[in-house]
Amino acid sequence: MTQAKISIQNLYYTYEDGIEALRDISVDIPPNEIFVLFGPARSGKSTLLRLLNRLSDLDDGLAQGAVYFNGQDVFTRSMNVSDLRRRISMVFAIPTPLPGSIYDNLTYGLKMAGIREKGELDRRVEQSLKQSALWDEVKDRLGSSAFALSGGQKQRLCLARSLALEPDVVVLDNPTSGLDPISTATVEESLYSLKERYTIIMVPHSVQQAARVADRAGFLLDGELVEVGKADKLFVQPQDQRTEDYITGRFG
Amino acid sequence: MNRQQTNRLAIGVITGLAILVVIPIALVILFVFYNGIGTINWEFITAAPRNGMREGGIWPALLGTIFLTFGTAIISFPLAIGAAIYLSEYAADNRMTRMVRLAIVNLAGIPSIVYGLFGLGAFVLFMQFGTSILAGSLTLGILTLPVVISTAEEAISSVPQQFRTVSLSLGATRWQTIRYQVLPHALPGILTGVILGLGRAAGETAPILFTVAAFYLPNLPRSVFDQTMALPYHLYVISTQVPGMPLSVQYGTALVLLLIVLSLTLAATFVRTSMRRRREW
């Protein structure tokens, strides 16, 4: 087996008020797979995602344990957080364009990284928009405001904005929330083609979506990783009773 | 009385009270305008005072006020923007921060004559700037800090939090996030605060009394270390210290001062409105 792209080991996360959000999470995620993290609301999915690239630094909580990215502990003081966030790029549940044009949005992260060369910026813009299936819809109006896009287009713009950084890992927190079935299918299809180049970790919109897109999946319940397995087994023959109850819709 | 009638009565009373607030302001402006407009002509604006200030114009005082206003802006803008960024983006909620906030609130409550005395002690005497535009600008700059800092802080905090999160998540550093996502959107609000502060500074008399203002100085200042006349103090002088002063000159001077302060306030309102209209979110 190849080295894990991301390895989480005995990870705990405690909120400021003492409530434990994550308890003893350990899981290895190999490169070029779609790993789906599913579970009921408030089970700690988003919290776990934010820890991967230390967006959790913005929250008032305490993390214990380790997250290794390409074998390197992300919590070490010497870790360049900006660089880490470019390597492990996050797409939020609520698509939030930055004020400015579509082009500005796609090149923002690159410019902050010091990439100013016009040819390179243009290449990344086109490539990321094609990868997120948005190119044909916006190629003639890259200069217009990102706020003028529809909900589904904004969602794909935010995905493209992350892809423009050419990261190693793309972390998606419910990337199809509020999308109609057709836009959802578009996003899911782009995910399939993306995993050739990227490792994808995502929180799905529903169990059905989890089963559709996942290579492997993990079931998170009340801050505990109940079960991890290959999707074709986990969604058909779960080992844990709680996983089965959730998948079959007995709760949550 | 049924509910509709009560409703109408309540709205009537509240509207009446709101109008009551406008009346004194309108009266002051109209009164000064009516009495002063006849005095204002090209000579009054551009000539130096003559004959014990009873004749001639107000040019040295007007120019002095303009210099002082610029000086105040140069001092207060960077200080306030720095303090506001620190308070809203970096400061942790600890004793130090609370002390800084308390200091700002109290700074707003200090009588302006105390600023004047402080300026005399600190800038004129201790730092040996003498009675000068520099000392006056520094004093006025400190005076405006509370209002400028609090408006700037408000403008910075009103930039949606998600923009910061998104910017950081795309690998921007904290400072890049402030520089490219926060300040550009907060700038019009910050400017509004600065202009409001300048409006206050332009009209103050007490802080400039011991730090810069000259009783009568027809020559224009040549450096920041020179004294200068200034409109508020000039108005005070010609209203109380000069016997046989024609009323028309007093009203004319008051009108010019009022117009300066009002136009600064209007400019602040204009900046704020145009900012709201341009905003995309």
Side-chain angles (χ1 to χ4, degrees):
Chain A
M1 189 175 155
T2 49
Q3 190 201 13
K5 182 55 66 176
I6 286 184
S7 173
I8 302 170
Q9 286 174 18
N10 307 106
L11 185 65
Y12 289 77
Y13 190 78
T14 317
Y15 288 129
E16 206 181 13
D17 54 14
I19 295 173
E20 239 179 16
L22 296 172
R23 212 162 39 248
D24 201 11
I25 308 281
S26 294
V27 60
D28 280 0
I29 301 169
N32 302 94
E33 78 165 21
I34 301 183
F35 184 86
V36 165
L37 192 65
F38 70 106
R42 305 192 53 79
S43 56
K45 303 181 299 270
S46 300
T47 308
L48 182 54
L49 294 189
R50 284 168 81 89
L51 281 159
L52 300 180
N53 67 2
R54 286 192 39 193
L55 271 176
S56 53
D57 287 5
L58 312 182
D59 313 325
D60 304 306
L62 181 69
Q64 284 166 295
V67 175
Y68 295 97
F69 168 57
N70 287 335
Q72 211 186 350
D73 185 358
V74 303
F75 292 120
T76 48
R77 285 187 74 88
S78 59
M79 173 58 71
N80 180 336
V81 179
S82 291
D83 203 45
L84 177 71
R85 289 173 187 160
R86 283 190 278 267
R87 311 303 311 142
I88 304 179
S89 193
M90 173 91 156
V91 182
F92 297 96
I94 300 161
T96 310
L98 294 170
S101 69
I102 296 172
Y103 189 87
D104 291 340
N105 267 275
L106 293 167
T107 53
Y108 179 73
L110 298 170
K111 286 180 177 160
M112 294 303 110
I115 299 172
R116 304 256 157 199
E117 202 243 314
K118 179 91 168 92
E120 176 66 6
L121 294 177
D122 288 349
R123 184 187 73 77
R124 301 264 197 132
V125 164
E126 181 170 345
Q127 174 187 288
S128 62
L129 283 175
K130 280 180 174 162
Q131 284 175 335
S132 54
L134 190 58
W135 175 250
D136 289 333
E137 290 162 61
V138 301
K139 64 182 176 202
D140 299 322
R141 50 179 180 129
L142 293 175
S144 60
S145 170
F147 287 100
L149 296 173
S150 75
Q153 289 173 327
K154 279 183 193 160
Q155 192 63 264
R156 279 175 284 154
L157 175 76
C158 292
L159 175 61
R161 191 169 58 186
S162 281
L163 296 179
L165 295 166
E166 295 185 349
D168 266 9
V169 181
V170 185
V171 178
L172 304 143
D173 190 351
N174 197 350
T176 60
S177 64
L179 291 196
D180 60 82
I182 295 171
S183 307
T184 302
T186 315
V187 171
E188 284 180 14
E189 266 163 48
S190 44
L191 290 183
Y192 290 128
S193 52
L194 287 174
K195 71 173 177 174
E196 284 173 26
R197 297 188 54 170
Y198 308 99
T199 305
I200 295 170
I201 301 172
M202 84 176 246
V203 165
H205 183 60
S206 60
V207 176
Q208 289 79 358
Q209 186 180 47
R212 273 200 306 273
V213 302
D215 292 318
R216 284 199 316 144
F219 175 56
L220 199 62
L221 180 66
D222 290 334
E224 198 183 325
L225 196 54
V226 174
E227 187 171 351
V228 177
K230 282 199 171 300
D232 43 17
K233 284 188 73 176
L234 189 129
F235 291 107
V236 184
Q237 276 184 313
Q239 303 296 307
D240 195 290
Q241 185 61 41
R242 289 169 291 176
T243 316
E244 186 175 344
D245 287 349
Y246 184 73
I247 290 172
T248 53
R250 240 165 268 171
F251 75 96
Chain B
M1 216 162 48
N2 63 28
R3 272 192 300 184
Q4 265 71 30
Q5 285 169 320
T6 317
N7 185 36
R8 243 174 285 152
L9 183 72
I11 292 176
V13 169
I14 292 165
T15 311
L17 288 172
I19 291 172
L20 272 182
V21 177
V22 180
I23 288 175
I25 302 169
L27 279 180
V28 168
I29 295 174
L30 285 177
F31 185 73
V32 173
F33 201 85
Y34 178 79
N35 287 296
I37 190 72
T39 316
I40 292 182
N41 54 37
W42 187 243
E43 199 214 345
F44 184 73
I45 299 291
T46 58
R50 285 191 318 267
N51 186 19
M53 295 187 266
R54 290 179 195 88
E55 288 170 35
I58 55 166
W59 178 238
L62 177 59
L63 194 68
T65 287
I66 292 172
F67 283 157
L68 282 174
T69 310
F70 270 107
T72 308
I74 291 167
I75 298 201
S76 134
F77 184 65
L79 271 178
I81 205 171
I85 290 175
Y86 173 76
L87 284 174
S88 57
E89 299 290 320
Y90 288 102
D93 186 20
N94 55 25
R95 267 178 71 163
M96 168 74 186
T97 310
R98 280 195 292 275
M99 245 167 62
V100 173
R101 282 184 199 284
L102 193 69
I104 294 169
V105 172
N106 278 299
L107 218 49
I110 292 176
S112 55
I113 185 70
V114 178
Y115 280 102
L117 284 169
F118 172 75
L120 174 68
F123 305 129
V124 177
L125 300 175
F126 181 73
M127 295 172 116
Q128 299 185 338
F129 293 149
T131 317
S132 63
I133 293 180
L134 180 61
S137 301
L138 283 166
T139 312
L140 287 172
I142 298 176
L143 173 97
T144 57
L145 277 184
V147 56
V148 186
I149 291 176
S150 36
T151 13
E153 206 190 330
E154 201 180 313
I156 290 174
S157 340
S158 73
V159 176
Q161 193 59 40
Q162 307 94 279
F163 294 164
R164 294 179 179 81
T165 313
V166 167
S167 171
L168 290 168
S169 83
L170 290 170
T173 62
R174 210 147 166 210
W175 171 245
Q176 284 178 323
T177 299
I178 293 171
R179 167 76 184 73
Y180 294 103
Q181 290 305 325
V182 178
L183 286 186
H185 308 311
L187 196 61
I190 297 172
L191 282 179
T192 309
V194 171
I195 301 171
L196 281 177
L198 292 184
R200 165 112 200 263
E204 282 287 348
T205 312
I208 57 172
L209 195 56
F210 315 118
T211 54
V212 52
F215 185 83
Y216 175 63
L217 191 72
N219 301 326
L220 301 180
R222 272 169 308 183
S223 86
V224 290
F225 294 105
D226 286 348
Q227 273 189 289
T228 179
M229 295 179 80
L231 271 183
Y233 182 59
H234 181 61
L235 181 59
Y236 165 74
V237 165
I238 60 175
S239 311
T240 59
Q241 312 289 309
V242 184
M245 191 73 207
L247 263 180
S248 61
V249 176
Q250 296 175 24
Y251 278 117
T253 309
L255 179 57
V256 172
L257 180 60
L258 197 62
L259 286 178
I260 290 178
V261 175
L262 281 179
S263 55
L264 282 172
T265 315
L266 279 178
T269 319
F270 177 75
V271 170
R272 183 152 37 192
T273 336
S274 66
M275 158 189 77
R276 293 231 171 98
R277 211 167 289 147
R278 266 213 338 254
R279 194 148 75 183
E280 296 176 77
W281 65 86

